[in-house]
Amino acid sequence: MRQPNESNFSNKSPILRFMIALLVFVVIAVTGGGYFSNVFDIVKTTEAETAVQSYAASVINLHKNWIMQGKPDIVTIRGVNKEGKAGNQWVFLMNKAGWPINVIDGTEKPDCTALWHALQKATRLQFASVVRKMRRADNGELSPPKFSADRAARDKSLIWVCQNIVAQQLHFRYRLDTGKVEIEQ
């Protein structure tokens, strides 16, 4: 004869096993999801940092080309395509110090977005930029200027700076006076 407790346990056992398996699966999925979310953030940050390093290297190479071409106002370089073969020609407007300020479009105001797209290959990353004048202190530090339209044209301590953000998380600055690319902390 069966005991009532054994019958109830054997009938509930498949449901209990299913609930335990479901609970284990949910715990593994949540733990794995958190881990992979962190991995995706790290990969995105690393990709953004690599793109900024590529941008900085391209700025330096463009400055070298400016010197080799005799310090002209316009520097022409030939790009490469995905296969590494010669691609389109790029024409850059340079400032008096030999740093690129724009891809030729007729203006002398820096175009940070055009420079970003011309000087590096990371097309998947989101990019936003603001160009602004900042005051350069004697030690090289930058700060927002106290704006005066009369003084702005004559003030040699005001310089153009591209303040950029890549992949909605990595902030960096391109200084057009020194060609320096600085990741902001």
Side-chain angles (χ1 to χ4, degrees), residues 49 52-53 170-173 181-185:
E49 288 172 353
V52 171
Q53 290 171 356
L170 183 64
H171 296 262
F172 77 97
R173 173 185 308 169
V181 177
E182 306 165 324
I183 293 180
E184 298 177 22
Q185 300 300 336

Side-chain angles (χ1 to χ4, degrees), residues 54 79-81 116-124:
S54 172
V80 293
N81 60 20
W116 172 258
H117 292 296
L119 293 174
Q120 58 78 43
K121 302 274 188 252
T123 57
R124 291 180 341 111

Side-chain angles (χ1 to χ4, degrees), residues 107-125:
T107 67
E108 297 219 357
K109 182 179 179 188
D111 186 345
C112 304
T113 304
L115 287 173
W116 172 258
H117 292 296
L119 293 174
Q120 58 78 43
K121 302 274 188 252
T123 57
R124 291 180 341 111
L125 297 172

